[in-house]
Amino acid sequence: MKATTTADPGARPVGKTADGATLRRLWSGEGNEFAGRNLALVGVLVILVIIGAVTRPDLYGDPEWVRNNAFTILQQASAIGVITVGMTFVIIGGGIDLSVGAIMALAGVWATTLATQSYGPGGMIFTAIAVGIGAGLVNGVLISYGKLVPFIATLAMMVAARGLAASISGKQTQISQSSVINDIATTKILGVPLLIIILALVVAAGWVLLNRTTFGRRTVAVGGNPEAARLAGINVKVQTLMLYGLSGLCCGIGAIMLTAQANSAQAAMANLYELDAIAAAIIGGTLLSGGRGTIIGALFGVLVFSTITNLFAINGLSTESQNMIKGGIIVAAVLIQQFRFGSLTKLFSRSDRAPAPAPH
C-alpha cells in the first residue's frame, strides 16, 4: 500500500521561496559579507585601478610600483579604517559620533606630553587608549543617561576635545621621542607593514564581535528598534554606553597609529576624520537609521575613498575635485540605500508572499 501525502494549500512553492530569499540575501549582503553590496564595492575598486592604469600607464606598468602603491593605500587607510570599525558599531546601534577625529587628537596629544613619554612607549599606548575610552564613555553617559541626542552630545565632545588638546599642547606640535612608537609606521612583518596588520586585526575583531557574539546581536537589536530591544530584556542604556566606549577605544588605537606616522601629535590632527569614517560606513552599506551594517562593507568603503585620494594624487589633480567626487559618492550611496531597502524590499516581499488558498 503506497503512502500518500497531502499538499498544504497555503504552502509557498519551494522554488519561488528559495529564489526570492536568495535574491534578497544577495542584494542586502545578509549571510555573506561579500554578497551584493560588497561585490559592487570590489567592482568600484577594480574600476578605479583600471582608471589609474589608463591615466598613468608609466606607473602601473611597473609591478614593483603597483605593489608598493597598494601598501601605501592600505597604510594611509589604516587609521581611518580603525575608527570606521567603531563608527560602524555606533551607527548600527542607532547613534552617530562626530567626535572621533577630536578624540584621536586629544588622545595623541595627551600621549605625547613629556610627562606621559617619561613612562615609555607602554605608558603612551595606555594613555592614548585610556583617553579614547574615557572620552567615548562620556559620550555614552550623556546620550544614555543624560538623554542628549547623539548629534548634540558628540558635537559638544568634538569642540571640547579639540579645545582641551590645544590647551594641553599649547597649540604646538609635540614630537614623539619614543622610537618604539615611531617604528610602528615603518616596521614590517613578513613584508607586510605593521599598520596594515593592526588594521586587519581590528577589522577581524570587529567582524567577530558583530557577527558571532551576543554583543553584536544586541547592537543590531538596539539600532533596529530600541523599545523592542528593551522589552526583550536588553539594557539599552548600558549597550549604548558600551558602543561609544568601543568607538573611543578605536580612537585611542588610531591616535597611536597617526602619531607613529607623523612622529608627532597636535590638536589639529585627524581633522574631519569623522566625516570620512561616517562616509565609509555609509557606502559600505550601514544604514544611518541603525539596525543594519557590515564591518567588511565599511572596510571596502574606506578603501574606495583611499584609492580615490591616491588616484588624484598620482594624477596631480586638485583636492577640491576629489572632495566633490567623494560628496557625490556619499549622496549616491544614501540614495541607493533608500531604493534598496524601500522598493526592492517591498518587491521581494510580494514575490515571497503566500498565495491565497483557492476558494472551495
Side-chain angles (χ1 to χ4, degrees):
M1 183 175 180
K2 293 183 178 180
T4 58
T5 57
T6 303
D8 181 0
R12 290 175 291 184
V14 174
K16 186 174 182 180
T17 301
D19 290 343
T22 300
L23 285 172
R24 197 162 56 246
R25 283 196 301 271
L26 287 175
W27 184 251
S28 67
E30 292 178 352
N32 187 343
E33 291 287 349
F34 292 96
R37 169 181 57 250
N38 295 342
L39 287 176
L41 291 174
V42 172
V44 171
L45 288 172
V46 171
I47 292 173
L48 291 174
V49 171
I50 292 174
I51 293 175
V54 171
T55 57
R56 292 302 304 269
D58 55 323
L59 297 177
Y60 278 83
D62 182 359
E64 183 65 21
W65 182 89
V66 171
R67 175 181 176 276
N68 292 334
N69 189 54
F71 279 148
T72 298
I73 293 173
L74 289 170
Q75 286 180 286
Q76 291 174 344
S78 59
I80 295 179
V82 167
I83 64 170
T84 299
V85 171
M87 181 69 76
T88 301
F89 272 94
V90 168
I91 297 178
I92 292 175
I96 197 74
D97 193 347
L98 301 179
S99 64
V100 290
I103 293 176
M104 288 178 72
L106 177 59
V109 166
W110 208 321
T112 53
T113 60
L114 293 177
T116 302
Q117 292 195 57
S118 66
Y119 290 97
M124 295 174 67
I125 293 173
F126 174 81
T127 298
I129 292 177
V131 170
I133 294 176
L137 290 177
V138 170
N139 281 334
V141 168
L142 292 175
I143 294 166
S144 298
Y145 298 94
K147 300 187 183 303
L148 289 182
V149 177
F151 179 89
I152 299 300
T154 58
L155 180 63
M157 176 58 75
M158 178 181 72
V159 176
R162 289 282 183 195
L164 182 55
S167 177
I168 292 174
S169 64
K171 299 182 180 180
Q172 301 296 317
T173 299
Q174 297 185 163
I175 304 300
S176 170
Q177 299 174 357
S178 172
S179 59
V180 174
I181 297 295
N182 298 340
D183 288 347
I184 291 176
T186 56
T187 298
K188 293 184 178 181
I189 299 177
L190 299 177
V192 180
L194 182 56
L195 288 174
I196 299 176
I197 294 175
I198 294 173
L199 172 62
L201 291 175
V202 172
V203 169
W207 186 92
V208 171
L209 189 61
L210 180 62
N211 296 282
R212 294 293 184 267
T213 67
T214 56
F215 180 87
R217 290 191 288 272
R218 288 172 181 170
T219 299
V220 174
V222 169
N225 191 326
E227 182 59 21
R230 185 186 66 81
L231 294 175
I234 298 174
N235 192 323
V236 176
K237 290 182 178 180
V238 171
Q239 185 68 22
T240 301
L241 181 66
M242 293 174 67
L243 286 173
Y244 282 95
L246 176 62
S247 179
L249 169 63
C250 291
C251 290
I253 297 172
I256 291 296
M257 298 168 74
L258 275 187
T259 300
Q261 288 177 292
N263 291 344
S264 63
Q266 56 179 316
M269 68 187 289
N271 187 38
L272 298 181
Y273 272 34
E274 56 275 358
L275 299 185
D276 288 341
I278 293 171
I282 291 173
I283 71 170
T286 302
L287 292 183
L288 277 173
S289 57
R292 186 187 295 268
T294 68
I295 298 299
I296 301 300
L299 174 62
F300 280 134
V302 173
L303 294 180
V304 166
F305 278 142
S306 295
T307 304
I308 290 174
T309 300
N310 179 263
L311 186 62
F312 272 68
I314 64 176
N315 283 282
L317 300 177
S318 66
T319 303
E320 292 77 9
S321 300
Q322 172 186 315
N323 291 336
M324 286 189 290
I325 289 180
K326 285 184 177 180
I329 291 175
I330 296 170
V331 172
V334 174
L335 290 176
I336 290 172
Q337 278 188 0
Q338 292 178 345
F339 174 72
R340 179 174 67 226
F341 295 105
S343 302
L344 285 184
T345 297
K346 293 179 181 179
L347 175 64
F348 290 142
S349 296
R350 285 198 298 269
S351 69
D352 287 346
R353 191 174 298 144
H360 294 290

